[in-house]
Structure formats: C-alpha cells, structure tokens
Amino acid sequence: MTSRSVDDSHSLLTLGRVDSVRVQVGYRASPDDQVDRHYLLDLAVPEPDGGGGEGVLDERGVLAALEPVLYAGADARRHYSLHQHRWHTSWGASPGALEIGLLVTLGPRTTAVSEASFDGVTRAFRDVMEVVGRPERTPISRESAVQRARREAATAYALDPDVLSLRAEEHHPADSSWTLTLRSTAGDEYDVVVGFVEGYAGSVSVRHAHRIEASDSIGPE
C-alpha cells in the first residue's frame, strides 16, 4: 500500500490572497432591534512589493483598529456580534475578498451616544485604512454618489436598490462628500452620506429614519 503526499503549493482549492476588504459596522438599541445606523467601508488591498505572496493583509490589525466602535461614549465596551467571511473565485483576475461585520448594541439612543458612535467609527475607519492601505482621494460625481448610496442602503437593509427613490441631495465640495435622502416604496427613509471619512467614496454611512405615514389632513367643510 502506498501513500501520496500533498503538495500545498499545487492545491486546487485555495483562498489565495485578499484583494479587497469590506467592513460593516451597525448600531442597534438591543439585540432584537433592527440596526438604525450602518457604516460601510470598501478598500482595495495593494499588491505586495515584487508581486505574488499571500497573507499580506494584517487581519488582526484590522480587528484591532475597529475596537473604538465598541465604546461609543462609554467607559466599558458594549456588547457586540462579530462575523468574518472570506471568499475567492477561480475565474477572471481570481479576486479574493474579506468581509467583516460588526453589530454593536448601544441601548437607548441619545444625541451624545449617536455623536460618540459616529466619531468612533470615523476614527476606526481611518485606522483600518492605515492597516489595509490608504486609498487615493478622488472627487465623487453626483451619478456615482447616487448609485453608491442606493447600493449601500440596499446592502445595509436587504433591499432592492430599484425601490429607493432620491428625495433630496446636498453636495459638500470642501469635504468631497454627498448627503442624500432615499425613500423606499414602503415609505422608509434612509439618510446616506457618501465619503464621510475624508471624502473617500468607499466610506458610506446610512441612517434608517422612521417610516413616513401618509395622512388626510383635510378638515370638515
């Protein structure tokens, strides 16, 4: 009876190197509540010097950079749920991707907590950029901002982008960012900021507003 050794360098199944990273951070009042604020960050991982090579991304460093989002104005870390997903495709450029999702439970929302959570995410995303590789800041066109706002709101809340209509928009040239309000056919509104971290288009915040109820305010004649 003979045995055959396996040469890892010629394995048919491999996750390969990580080419892109997506980080999602969501805040909710309790574990049973829907997320009311969602933050997304998409980054491309630079090619290593000399090409090739795997394990270039410091995944532990990314998680360490995200730790500020756990506090949100509190001295002790808040409860959280963390998941990590990695995948690779064997066609085309054979990209490999890493997705990290973090849900933080805040308790009752206040203005102070909301501001602290936003500041914590902004700081954490800047640090993640340093770990992964700081992207170039380029102007965000209106069309790109609207498309990204629809896509990321749909991603954050499991919607069809086509059900989201644009209700309002505001461009902030000094910050290279856009603020847009989207409304679903069900009446839910989503306030989206594209480029909220240093004007980088891959950084998006989404706030789920209360549903708009239609009413008949016509009084008696």
PDB file of all heavy atoms in Angstrom, residues 107-129:
ATOM      1  N   GLY A 107     -28.136  50.237  23.540  1.00  0.00           N
ATOM      2  CA  GLY A 107     -29.161  50.626  24.496  1.00  0.00           C
ATOM      3  C   GLY A 107     -29.897  51.838  23.955  1.00  0.00           C
ATOM      4  O   GLY A 107     -29.790  52.178  22.779  1.00  0.00           O
ATOM      5  N   PRO A 108     -30.673  52.547  24.805  1.00  0.00           N
ATOM      6  CA  PRO A 108     -31.450  53.708  24.344  1.00  0.00           C
ATOM      7  C   PRO A 108     -30.568  54.734  23.648  1.00  0.00           C
ATOM      8  O   PRO A 108     -29.471  55.053  24.120  1.00  0.00           O
ATOM      9  CB  PRO A 108     -32.047  54.268  25.641  1.00  0.00           C
ATOM     10  CG  PRO A 108     -32.079  53.097  26.570  1.00  0.00           C
ATOM     11  CD  PRO A 108     -30.859  52.281  26.243  1.00  0.00           C
ATOM     12  N   ARG A 109     -31.055  55.268  22.543  1.00  0.00           N
ATOM     13  CA  ARG A 109     -30.279  56.221  21.762  1.00  0.00           C
ATOM     14  C   ARG A 109     -30.430  57.628  22.332  1.00  0.00           C
ATOM     15  O   ARG A 109     -31.516  58.045  22.710  1.00  0.00           O
ATOM     16  CB  ARG A 109     -30.752  56.226  20.311  1.00  0.00           C
ATOM     17  CG  ARG A 109     -30.676  54.892  19.603  1.00  0.00           C
ATOM     18  CD  ARG A 109     -29.292  54.526  19.217  1.00  0.00           C
ATOM     19  NE  ARG A 109     -28.716  55.462  18.268  1.00  0.00           N
ATOM     20  CZ  ARG A 109     -27.582  55.232  17.608  1.00  0.00           C
ATOM     21  NH1 ARG A 109     -26.918  54.126  17.814  1.00  0.00           N
ATOM     22  NH2 ARG A 109     -27.096  56.108  16.767  1.00  0.00           N
ATOM     23  N   THR A 110     -29.336  58.338  22.402  1.00  0.00           N
ATOM     24  CA  THR A 110     -29.335  59.756  22.749  1.00  0.00           C
ATOM     25  C   THR A 110     -28.448  60.478  21.746  1.00  0.00           C
ATOM     26  O   THR A 110     -27.669  59.858  21.016  1.00  0.00           O
ATOM     27  CB  THR A 110     -28.790  59.994  24.169  1.00  0.00           C
ATOM     28  OG1 THR A 110     -27.398  59.630  24.202  1.00  0.00           O
ATOM     29  CG2 THR A 110     -29.559  59.163  25.201  1.00  0.00           C
ATOM     30  N   THR A 111     -28.558  61.782  21.719  1.00  0.00           N
ATOM     31  CA  THR A 111     -27.730  62.564  20.801  1.00  0.00           C
ATOM     32  C   THR A 111     -26.248  62.354  21.095  1.00  0.00           C
ATOM     33  O   THR A 111     -25.425  62.197  20.178  1.00  0.00           O
ATOM     34  CB  THR A 111     -28.079  64.057  20.901  1.00  0.00           C
ATOM     35  OG1 THR A 111     -29.456  64.248  20.563  1.00  0.00           O
ATOM     36  CG2 THR A 111     -27.203  64.878  19.961  1.00  0.00           C
ATOM     37  N   ALA A 112     -25.896  62.321  22.379  1.00  0.00           N
ATOM     38  CA  ALA A 112     -24.492  62.144  22.767  1.00  0.00           C
ATOM     39  C   ALA A 112     -23.966  60.792  22.307  1.00  0.00           C
ATOM     40  O   ALA A 112     -22.837  60.683  21.807  1.00  0.00           O
ATOM     41  CB  ALA A 112     -24.345  62.285  24.278  1.00  0.00           C
ATOM     42  N   VAL A 113     -24.775  59.750  22.484  1.00  0.00           N
ATOM     43  CA  VAL A 113     -24.361  58.409  22.067  1.00  0.00           C
ATOM     44  C   VAL A 113     -24.213  58.346  20.552  1.00  0.00           C
ATOM     45  O   VAL A 113     -23.261  57.753  20.024  1.00  0.00           O
ATOM     46  CB  VAL A 113     -25.360  57.352  22.566  1.00  0.00           C
ATOM     47  CG1 VAL A 113     -25.099  56.001  21.907  1.00  0.00           C
ATOM     48  CG2 VAL A 113     -25.275  57.206  24.076  1.00  0.00           C
ATOM     49  N   SER A 114     -25.148  58.961  19.829  1.00  0.00           N
ATOM     50  CA  SER A 114     -25.080  58.967  18.369  1.00  0.00           C
ATOM     51  C   SER A 114     -23.809  59.653  17.883  1.00  0.00           C
ATOM     52  O   SER A 114     -23.128  59.164  16.977  1.00  0.00           O
ATOM     53  CB  SER A 114     -26.314  59.665  17.785  1.00  0.00           C
ATOM     54  OG  SER A 114     -27.491  58.956  18.088  1.00  0.00           O
ATOM     55  N   GLU A 115     -23.481  60.793  18.479  1.00  0.00           N
ATOM     56  CA  GLU A 115     -22.272  61.516  18.083  1.00  0.00           C
ATOM     57  C   GLU A 115     -21.025  60.717  18.426  1.00  0.00           C
ATOM     58  O   GLU A 115     -20.068  60.667  17.644  1.00  0.00           O
ATOM     59  CB  GLU A 115     -22.244  62.881  18.768  1.00  0.00           C
ATOM     60  CG  GLU A 115     -23.326  63.836  18.260  1.00  0.00           C
ATOM     61  CD  GLU A 115     -23.325  65.156  19.018  1.00  0.00           C
ATOM     62  OE1 GLU A 115     -22.595  65.259  20.030  1.00  0.00           O
ATOM     63  OE2 GLU A 115     -24.050  66.084  18.593  1.00  0.00           O
ATOM     64  N   ALA A 116     -21.030  60.073  19.593  1.00  0.00           N
ATOM     65  CA  ALA A 116     -19.871  59.278  20.010  1.00  0.00           C
ATOM     66  C   ALA A 116     -19.678  58.077  19.090  1.00  0.00           C
ATOM     67  O   ALA A 116     -18.547  57.723  18.741  1.00  0.00           O
ATOM     68  CB  ALA A 116     -20.038  58.829  21.452  1.00  0.00           C
ATOM     69  N   SER A 117     -20.789  57.438  18.693  1.00  0.00           N
ATOM     70  CA  SER A 117     -20.676  56.281  17.805  1.00  0.00           C
ATOM     71  C   SER A 117     -20.136  56.703  16.439  1.00  0.00           C
ATOM     72  O   SER A 117     -19.289  56.010  15.860  1.00  0.00           O
ATOM     73  CB  SER A 117     -22.025  55.576  17.669  1.00  0.00           C
ATOM     74  OG  SER A 117     -22.982  56.423  17.065  1.00  0.00           O
ATOM     75  N   PHE A 118     -20.602  57.839  15.930  1.00  0.00           N
ATOM     76  CA  PHE A 118     -20.106  58.337  14.643  1.00  0.00           C
ATOM     77  C   PHE A 118     -18.615  58.646  14.725  1.00  0.00           C
ATOM     78  O   PHE A 118     -17.837  58.263  13.845  1.00  0.00           O
ATOM     79  CB  PHE A 118     -20.881  59.580  14.227  1.00  0.00           C
ATOM     80  CG  PHE A 118     -20.388  60.200  12.938  1.00  0.00           C
ATOM     81  CD1 PHE A 118     -20.816  59.713  11.714  1.00  0.00           C
ATOM     82  CD2 PHE A 118     -19.497  61.259  12.959  1.00  0.00           C
ATOM     83  CE1 PHE A 118     -20.354  60.264  10.523  1.00  0.00           C
ATOM     84  CE2 PHE A 118     -19.029  61.825  11.784  1.00  0.00           C
ATOM     85  CZ  PHE A 118     -19.462  61.321  10.564  1.00  0.00           C
ATOM     86  N   ASP A 119     -18.199  59.322  15.790  1.00  0.00           N
ATOM     87  CA  ASP A 119     -16.788  59.659  15.952  1.00  0.00           C
ATOM     88  C   ASP A 119     -15.936  58.396  16.063  1.00  0.00           C
ATOM     89  O   ASP A 119     -14.831  58.321  15.506  1.00  0.00           O
ATOM     90  CB  ASP A 119     -16.585  60.523  17.204  1.00  0.00           C
ATOM     91  CG  ASP A 119     -17.183  61.916  17.049  1.00  0.00           C
ATOM     92  OD1 ASP A 119     -17.458  62.323  15.905  1.00  0.00           O
ATOM     93  OD2 ASP A 119     -17.401  62.588  18.083  1.00  0.00           O
ATOM     94  N   GLY A 120     -16.457  57.398  16.789  1.00  0.00           N
ATOM     95  CA  GLY A 120     -15.705  56.157  16.947  1.00  0.00           C
ATOM     96  C   GLY A 120     -15.528  55.423  15.632  1.00  0.00           C
ATOM     97  O   GLY A 120     -14.436  54.908  15.334  1.00  0.00           O
ATOM     98  N   VAL A 121     -16.580  55.366  14.823  1.00  0.00           N
ATOM     99  CA  VAL A 121     -16.483  54.706  13.524  1.00  0.00           C
ATOM    100  C   VAL A 121     -15.530  55.460  12.611  1.00  0.00           C
ATOM    101  O   VAL A 121     -14.703  54.857  11.909  1.00  0.00           O
ATOM    102  CB  VAL A 121     -17.873  54.588  12.872  1.00  0.00           C
ATOM    103  CG1 VAL A 121     -17.755  54.135  11.426  1.00  0.00           C
ATOM    104  CG2 VAL A 121     -18.725  53.597  13.648  1.00  0.00           C
ATOM    105  N   THR A 122     -15.637  56.777  12.591  1.00  0.00           N
ATOM    106  CA  THR A 122     -14.757  57.582  11.737  1.00  0.00           C
ATOM    107  C   THR A 122     -13.299  57.337  12.092  1.00  0.00           C
ATOM    108  O   THR A 122     -12.448  57.119  11.209  1.00  0.00           O
ATOM    109  CB  THR A 122     -15.082  59.079  11.880  1.00  0.00           C
ATOM    110  OG1 THR A 122     -16.465  59.306  11.558  1.00  0.00           O
ATOM    111  CG2 THR A 122     -14.212  59.910  10.963  1.00  0.00           C
ATOM    112  N   ARG A 123     -12.996  57.353  13.378  1.00  0.00           N
ATOM    113  CA  ARG A 123     -11.620  57.111  13.826  1.00  0.00           C
ATOM    114  C   ARG A 123     -11.172  55.690  13.482  1.00  0.00           C
ATOM    115  O   ARG A 123     -10.043  55.471  13.005  1.00  0.00           O
ATOM    116  CB  ARG A 123     -11.526  57.347  15.330  1.00  0.00           C
ATOM    117  CG  ARG A 123     -10.102  57.224  15.878  1.00  0.00           C
ATOM    118  CD  ARG A 123     -10.024  57.749  17.290  1.00  0.00           C
ATOM    119  NE  ARG A 123     -10.798  56.952  18.237  1.00  0.00           N
ATOM    120  CZ  ARG A 123     -11.948  57.326  18.774  1.00  0.00           C
ATOM    121  NH1 ARG A 123     -12.494  58.491  18.430  1.00  0.00           N
ATOM    122  NH2 ARG A 123     -12.582  56.559  19.641  1.00  0.00           N
ATOM    123  N   ALA A 124     -12.057  54.725  13.703  1.00  0.00           N
ATOM    124  CA  ALA A 124     -11.720  53.331  13.423  1.00  0.00           C
ATOM    125  C   ALA A 124     -11.485  53.103  11.929  1.00  0.00           C
ATOM    126  O   ALA A 124     -10.534  52.410  11.537  1.00  0.00           O
ATOM    127  CB  ALA A 124     -12.828  52.414  13.931  1.00  0.00           C
ATOM    128  N   PHE A 125     -12.337  53.689  11.091  1.00  0.00           N
ATOM    129  CA  PHE A 125     -12.172  53.501   9.648  1.00  0.00           C
ATOM    130  C   PHE A 125     -10.873  54.137   9.158  1.00  0.00           C
ATOM    131  O   PHE A 125     -10.229  53.612   8.241  1.00  0.00           O
ATOM    132  CB  PHE A 125     -13.376  54.079   8.903  1.00  0.00           C
ATOM    133  CG  PHE A 125     -14.581  53.154   8.859  1.00  0.00           C
ATOM    134  CD1 PHE A 125     -14.607  51.996   9.622  1.00  0.00           C
ATOM    135  CD2 PHE A 125     -15.676  53.450   8.068  1.00  0.00           C
ATOM    136  CE1 PHE A 125     -15.707  51.136   9.584  1.00  0.00           C
ATOM    137  CE2 PHE A 125     -16.772  52.605   8.018  1.00  0.00           C
ATOM    138  CZ  PHE A 125     -16.787  51.450   8.778  1.00  0.00           C
ATOM    139  N   ARG A 126     -10.487  55.266   9.725  1.00  0.00           N
ATOM    140  CA  ARG A 126      -9.191  55.855   9.357  1.00  0.00           C
ATOM    141  C   ARG A 126      -8.061  54.890   9.690  1.00  0.00           C
ATOM    142  O   ARG A 126      -7.119  54.709   8.898  1.00  0.00           O
ATOM    143  CB  ARG A 126      -8.980  57.179  10.105  1.00  0.00           C
ATOM    144  CG  ARG A 126      -9.816  58.340   9.608  1.00  0.00           C
ATOM    145  CD  ARG A 126      -9.252  59.649  10.126  1.00  0.00           C
ATOM    146  NE  ARG A 126     -10.135  60.775   9.856  1.00  0.00           N
ATOM    147  CZ  ARG A 126     -10.859  61.399  10.780  1.00  0.00           C
ATOM    148  NH1 ARG A 126     -10.816  61.001  12.043  1.00  0.00           N
ATOM    149  NH2 ARG A 126     -11.635  62.417  10.442  1.00  0.00           N
ATOM    150  N   ASP A 127      -8.156  54.266  10.852  1.00  0.00           N
ATOM    151  CA  ASP A 127      -7.111  53.325  11.258  1.00  0.00           C
ATOM    152  C   ASP A 127      -7.113  52.082  10.378  1.00  0.00           C
ATOM    153  O   ASP A 127      -6.043  51.531  10.067  1.00  0.00           O
ATOM    154  CB  ASP A 127      -7.296  52.930  12.726  1.00  0.00           C
ATOM    155  CG  ASP A 127      -6.999  54.071  13.689  1.00  0.00           C
ATOM    156  OD1 ASP A 127      -6.352  55.054  13.250  1.00  0.00           O
ATOM    157  OD2 ASP A 127      -7.420  53.992  14.855  1.00  0.00           O
ATOM    158  N   VAL A 128      -8.291  51.622   9.971  1.00  0.00           N
ATOM    159  CA  VAL A 128      -8.370  50.474   9.067  1.00  0.00           C
ATOM    160  C   VAL A 128      -7.701  50.808   7.740  1.00  0.00           C
ATOM    161  O   VAL A 128      -6.998  49.988   7.143  1.00  0.00           O
ATOM    162  CB  VAL A 128      -9.838  50.043   8.838  1.00  0.00           C
ATOM    163  CG1 VAL A 128      -9.925  49.007   7.715  1.00  0.00           C
ATOM    164  CG2 VAL A 128     -10.431  49.471  10.120  1.00  0.00           C
ATOM    165  N   MET A 129      -7.926  52.047   7.257  1.00  0.00           N
ATOM    166  CA  MET A 129      -7.271  52.476   6.020  1.00  0.00           C
ATOM    167  C   MET A 129      -5.745  52.398   6.143  1.00  0.00           C
ATOM    168  O   MET A 129      -5.053  52.021   5.190  1.00  0.00           O
ATOM    169  CB  MET A 129      -7.677  53.915   5.684  1.00  0.00           C
ATOM    170  CG  MET A 129      -9.106  54.075   5.211  1.00  0.00           C
ATOM    171  SD  MET A 129      -9.468  55.834   4.879  1.00  0.00           S
ATOM    172  CE  MET A 129     -11.178  55.739   4.338  1.00  0.00           C
TER     173      MET A 129
END
